[in-house]
């Protein structure tokens, strides 16, 4: 029975797969968002107290980047095993690595307690988390992609991506509530640990659901045909190197601008504008809540008019938004900040991210898809989201607190990613599972374009 003809009773496994994948994305972004938020607000004092506020923030963001540095290696390692052993078991391991790393940060002693060992332990935990996260995204999206009907892959994979705004929404909500409810100084002193420790709940739910999902049907078919590659990462580079380079460039704006709008904007509002953090955090909450609804809309739109069109449209929209975004923030008005965040996250980022899963997932044949998608995601995210907080903060310092230099960065990466995405025509198509002969020759058939 084909996926297209599945009866209603067969939809439950797909729902379970999408839920399990979305929870993995939620844990991933819960960690990175919580770390980025706490780095902007607290970590410069807790782990780097001997420096000036701006230098301390840069140091905290540097440890944030360490996690990104480990992600490409994690993508290669877990992509290799995901293409050889299957998607499901790898995803359980990656969730445990991510989740327990987040929990461990909540237990870390501060610089005042153990000195230089505190930031060193923080870096070590970030490295372990980065390895796990490197393998998480590719497997999660592929489980949804390979279980879903081809004509609905944009919509189905966009539901997985709801884990991103949800992974931002939950920790920012916790930080906002704690900051408002506790006495002055309590959050900086000890309460910042609570959201890290609370991650254990997400881990437990995520692992439980993942243990109950079935393996990807396309991987099962490929394994039955003995079409598994011995070195999938090598084959991605040697046989699909051009696609890999273009997709990495296309990814940079989606990941980089997300962190500019969110991470750097919070630092700008709280340090340069010297405004309270409550309103800007609430503005992020509003935007993330809206993006939970816009992502499937853009995913469904990509199924109808094409993934590249929606993706490029989102990038160009963000280029046009960059100046109005900071002008709105500069007003200090909650309504203006909420509008800026909603346009940036729910519309601009939502369009790119809603189309991204199906666009990038279909770039590679099944037998190297986990490795290829993981390398695209993690290298692109490292160059985009990993670097943008450091670049944005440095540009803010270079501009004496003004945002004009950041706008140049935003426009530049948006245009670059748009141009790269325009060449990803293969992402509008779907690979079918390769036969043994095709796998050995490195060629896989492609169905007719949707």
């Amino acid at each position: 029975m084909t996926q297209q003809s599945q009866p209603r009773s067969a939809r439950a496994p797909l729902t379970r797969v999408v839920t399990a994948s979305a929870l993995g994305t939620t844990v991933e972004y819960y960690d990175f968002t919580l770390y980025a938020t706490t780095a902007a607000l607290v970590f410069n004092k807790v782990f780097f107290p001997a420096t000036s506020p701006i230098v301390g923030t840069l140091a905290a963001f540097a440890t944030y980047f360490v996690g990104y540095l480990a992600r490409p290696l994690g993508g290669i390692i877990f992509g290799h095993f995901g293409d050889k052993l299957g998607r499901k078991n790898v995803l359980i391991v990656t969730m445990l690595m991510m989740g327990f790393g987040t929990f461990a940060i909540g237990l870390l002693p501060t610089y005042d307690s153990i000195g230089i060992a505190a930031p060193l332990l923080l870096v070590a935990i970030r490295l372990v988390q980065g390895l796990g996260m490197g393998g998480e995204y590719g497997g999660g999206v592929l489980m949804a992609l390979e279980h879903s009907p081809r004509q609905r892959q944009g919509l189905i994979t966009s539901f997985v991506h709801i884990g991103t705004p949800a992974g931002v929404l939950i920790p920012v909500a916790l930080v906002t509530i704690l900051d408002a409810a506790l006495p002055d100084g309590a959050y900086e002193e000890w309460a910042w640990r609570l959201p890290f420790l609370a991650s254990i709940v997400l881990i437990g739910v995520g692992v439980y659901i993942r243990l109950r999902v079935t393996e990807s049907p396309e991987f099962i078919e490929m394994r039955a045909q003995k079409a598994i590659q011995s070195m999938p990462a090598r084959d991605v580079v040697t046989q699909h190197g051009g696609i890999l380079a273009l997709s990495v460039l296309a990814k940079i704006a989606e990941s980089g601008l997300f962190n500019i709008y969110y991470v750097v904007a919070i630092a700008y509002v709280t340090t340069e504008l010297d405004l309270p953090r409550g309103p800007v955090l609430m503005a992020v909450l509003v935007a993330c809540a809206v993006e939970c609804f816009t992502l499937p809309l853009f995913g469904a739109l990509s199924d109808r008019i094409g993934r590249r069109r929606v993706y490029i449209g989102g990038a160009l929209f963000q280029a046009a938004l960059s100046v109005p975004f900071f002008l709105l923030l500069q007003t200090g008005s909650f309504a203006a900040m909420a509008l800026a965040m909603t346009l940036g996250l729910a519309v601009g980022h939502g369009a790119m991210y809603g189309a991204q899963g199906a666009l990038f997932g279909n770039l590679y044949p099944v037998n190297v898809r986990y490795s290829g998608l993981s390398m695209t995601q993690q290298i692109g995210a490292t160059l985009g989201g990993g670097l943008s907080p450091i670049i944005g903060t440095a540009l803010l310092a270079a501009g004496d607190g003004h945002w004009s230099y950041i706008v140049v960065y935003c426009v530049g990466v948006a245009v670059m990613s748009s141009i790269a995405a325009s060449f990803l025509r293969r992402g509008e198509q779907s690979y079918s599972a390769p036969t043994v002969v095709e796998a050995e020759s490195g060629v896989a058939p492609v169905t007719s374009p949707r």
Side-chain angles (χ1 to χ4, degrees):
M1 180 181 295
T2 65
Q3 292 177 3
Q4 290 87 339
S5 61
Q6 285 180 324
R8 184 178 299 273
S9 61
R11 296 176 189 173
L14 176 58
T15 302
R16 191 179 302 148
V17 166
V18 172
T19 302
S21 299
L23 276 171
T25 308
T26 302
V27 171
E28 176 183 355
Y29 278 86
Y30 181 98
D31 165 75
F32 266 71
T33 300
L34 179 59
Y35 186 92
T37 304
T38 315
L41 300 176
V42 176
F43 279 179
N44 59 335
K45 305 166 189 173
V46 173
F47 292 107
F48 308 97
T51 60
S52 68
I54 190 69
V55 174
T57 301
L58 275 170
F61 283 158
T63 59
Y64 177 74
F65 181 56
V66 165
Y68 271 99
L69 277 178
R71 287 171 69 161
L73 178 60
I76 292 172
I77 293 172
F78 290 109
H80 173 85
F81 289 108
D83 281 327
K84 289 179 68 68
L85 305 178
R87 285 58 162 134
K88 174 182 173 177
N89 292 333
V90 169
L91 286 173
I92 294 172
V93 173
T94 58
M95 175 168 279
L96 290 173
M97 290 176 68
M98 292 188 308
F100 282 122
T102 304
F103 184 79
I105 290 176
L107 301 175
L108 271 183
T110 65
Y111 186 94
D112 290 340
S113 299
I114 60 173
I116 192 66
L120 290 178
L121 285 172
L122 183 63
V123 169
I125 292 173
R126 297 300 294 167
L127 285 171
V128 173
Q129 285 181 303
L131 289 173
M133 290 172 183
E136 171 62 35
Y137 174 86
V141 168
L142 291 188
M143 284 291 280
L145 183 85
E146 294 174 355
H147 274 87
S148 62
R150 296 183 188 278
Q151 72 273 14
R152 298 179 62 209
Q153 288 178 342
L155 173 63
I156 298 300
T157 56
S158 70
F159 282 117
V160 176
H161 286 163
I162 289 177
T164 298
V168 174
L169 190 67
I170 297 171
V172 173
L174 288 174
V175 170
T176 303
I177 292 169
L178 290 171
D179 187 50
L182 295 173
D184 290 344
Y187 180 76
E188 288 84 353
E189 184 177 349
W190 59 270
W192 64 267
R193 299 179 182 275
L194 298 180
F196 286 93
L197 298 175
S199 65
I200 198 73
V201 176
L202 284 174
I203 303 167
V205 174
V207 171
Y208 171 75
I209 294 178
R210 285 193 170 176
L211 287 170
R212 301 178 67 221
V213 302
T214 57
E215 182 57 84
S216 157
E218 292 191 34
F219 177 83
I220 292 173
E221 181 181 352
M222 179 186 70
R223 183 169 55 191
Q225 296 191 23
K226 296 181 173 58
I228 293 175
Q229 299 290 78
S230 59
M231 295 294 290
R234 178 197 62 194
D235 295 337
V236 169
V237 174
T238 58
Q239 298 171 17
H240 308 278
I243 291 295
L244 175 63
L246 286 170
S247 60
V248 165
L249 292 175
K251 170 70 182 178
I252 289 175
E254 177 270 307
S255 178
L257 296 182
F258 180 88
N259 279 358
I260 287 290
Y261 291 144
Y262 167 55
V263 180
V264 178
I266 290 178
Y268 170 69
V269 169
T270 56
T271 61
E272 299 300 329
L273 298 183
D274 197 26
L275 295 173
R277 55 185 172 235
V280 69
L281 290 175
M282 188 61 67
V284 173
L285 289 178
V286 171
C288 289
V290 175
E291 190 177 11
C292 289
F293 296 95
T294 59
L295 277 170
L297 292 177
F298 285 117
L301 182 64
S302 76
D303 285 329
R304 294 181 63 86
I305 70 172
R307 283 77 191 250
R308 285 183 303 149
R309 289 180 180 176
V310 174
Y311 193 87
I312 293 169
L316 295 178
F317 177 84
Q318 291 182 85
L321 178 66
S322 55
V323 171
F325 178 84
F326 283 99
L327 288 174
L328 287 167
L329 291 184
Q330 199 169 286
T331 67
S333 161
F334 167 73
M337 289 191 290
L339 176 61
M341 291 293 183
T342 300
L343 290 173
L345 294 175
V347 180
H349 178 260
M352 297 185 76
Y353 208 38
Q356 179 182 287
L359 176 65
F360 289 175
N362 282 312
L363 292 174
Y364 304 99
V366 179
N367 55 350
V368 298
R369 186 179 283 164
Y370 201 140
S371 296
L373 181 57
S374 295
M375 293 167 72
T376 289
Q377 166 70 12
Q378 305 311 333
I379 297 172
T382 300
L383 297 177
L387 282 176
S388 63
I390 299 173
I391 292 173
T393 306
L395 291 175
L396 201 58
D400 294 325
H402 197 265
W403 42 262
S404 54
Y405 291 164
I406 302 178
V407 167
V408 175
Y409 169 81
C410 292
V411 173
V413 296
V415 172
M416 175 194 69
S417 290
S418 298
I419 294 172
S422 69
F423 290 98
L424 297 179
R425 296 179 181 86
R426 190 187 292 175
E428 302 287 0
Q429 303 169 332
S430 293
Y431 277 107
S432 44
T435 63
V436 176
V437 174
E438 289 162 342
E440 292 174 348
S441 65
V443 178
V446 181
T447 63
S448 299
R450 282 185 289 273

